[in-house]
Amino acid sequence: MATCIQPSRTDTGHANPLSRDPNRCQADDRLCCYVNFCRPSFPNGVCCVPICQDQPTSIHSGTTHHEGHGDDLWRRMKDEALSDVEEEPILSNYYFSLILSHNSLESALVNHLSMKLSNSDLPSGVLCDLFASLLDREIVAAVEDDLRAVKERDPACISLVHCFLNFKGFLAIQAHRLAHKLWSEGRKVLALLVQNRVSEIFAVDIHPGARVGRGILLDHATGVVVGETAVIGDRVSILHNVTLGGTGKSSGDRHPKIGDGVLIGAGTCVLGNVRVGDGAKIGAGSVVLKDVPARTTVVGNPARLVGGKGKPVKLDKIPSLTMDHTSHVCNCEWSDYVI
């Protein structure tokens, strides 16, 4: 059975990437060889065509500081996918459906998320159309920053395509971005539905009202809970079983505000409308109930400043980027000051 290949519904003017153009790049040659190889030989073989192909490509029509960078990122991901298929041919159909049949990162993303979050009552085609309608330049730029963040900070991430396909923290954040767009547009029922599906599938529960910055790493991600009025800045790294929650049944602005460049260790609870300053580090297992000064380290239950209130140890590097969980925690003299 021949592999099913369909042109983009919004990009019909471009040349077929599988044409015999002598000037095409080496990656196109590899893709052509790959497509010839990807022919299911088993009787129940399924078509490789993704549910949603390249609907949101028009969102790149404007100019941003990421212009051109996203295309480079996507080409790199397709090269990685081709290399993976050459190493493990059993992944041929899987990689073709989710990566190689798409012309853009956003097309692949909405297809992948819709497949992950669908069920018998919520078809993937419906979700794919919904997600494609929500994507804009800001969300796509944030997705690209998140991909780079995971690759740069997580030593377990062997490639961009590995992150895109398999890291549930990355996928949960991208699904939240779409849910937040729905929430911001007043479509709260749909937003909460997406949140519920993300919680069921990825074990990550981020309220669609929460505001999340760019360059975010949710490492492992299992058990992460973020409340409705929480705010997470840019370049933040959060490990598993972290709660950014309230302190009870109070209403209004009741959740933490996390600054840029913050590192939050595993099992941490930050409760109430408290501010964690830019570049701060929270040690694993801490319970933070008061504001954390910028560029300081806190640890414990309740959390204490390393170095004390009078002269807290100041960090000279951005902890979310270094992912250093132990410096200034294990080797410093403790104080009894409770922040």
Side-chain angles (χ1 to χ4, degrees), residues 38-55:
C38 178
R39 298 176 184 273
S41 57
F42 40 90
N44 295 322
V46 295
C47 179
C48 295
V49 175
I51 291 173
C52 184
Q53 293 194 28
D54 300 317
Q55 286 185 328

Side-chain angles (χ1 to χ4, degrees), residues 143-165:
V143 172
E144 294 167 0
D145 285 349
D146 292 347
L147 268 173
R148 295 185 183 95
V150 177
K151 183 63 177 68
E152 291 168 1
R153 299 178 213 163
D154 188 351
C157 182
I158 60 176
S159 67
L160 292 167
V161 74
H162 174 56
C163 168
F164 180 86
L165 294 176

Side-chain angles (χ1 to χ4, degrees), residues 262 275-282 288 290-298 304-306 308-309 312-315 337 339:
V262 171
R275 168 75 183 178
V276 178
D278 295 345
K281 175 164 60 177
I282 303 176
V288 178
K290 296 184 179 180
D291 290 353
V292 178
R295 295 174 48 222
T296 63
T297 300
V298 298
R304 296 171 291 171
L305 274 170
V306 173
K309 179 180 179 180
V313 174
K314 289 286 187 176
L315 302 174
Y337 172 66
I339 64 169

Side-chain angles (χ1 to χ4, degrees), residues 189-241:
V189 174
L190 267 179
L192 292 169
L193 177 62
V194 173
Q195 174 201 2
N196 180 64
R197 291 298 295 155
V198 170
S199 179
E200 291 177 343
I201 301 303
F202 299 130
V204 175
D205 195 354
I206 306 176
H207 192 283
R211 289 182 286 154
V212 178
R214 292 159 52 157
I216 305 299
L217 167 61
L218 294 188
D219 196 358
H220 298 290
T222 301
V224 169
V225 177
V226 180
E228 177 184 1
T229 60
V231 178
I232 299 174
D234 297 330
R235 299 177 298 167
V236 173
S237 296
I238 300 175
L239 273 80
H240 52 285
N241 289 328

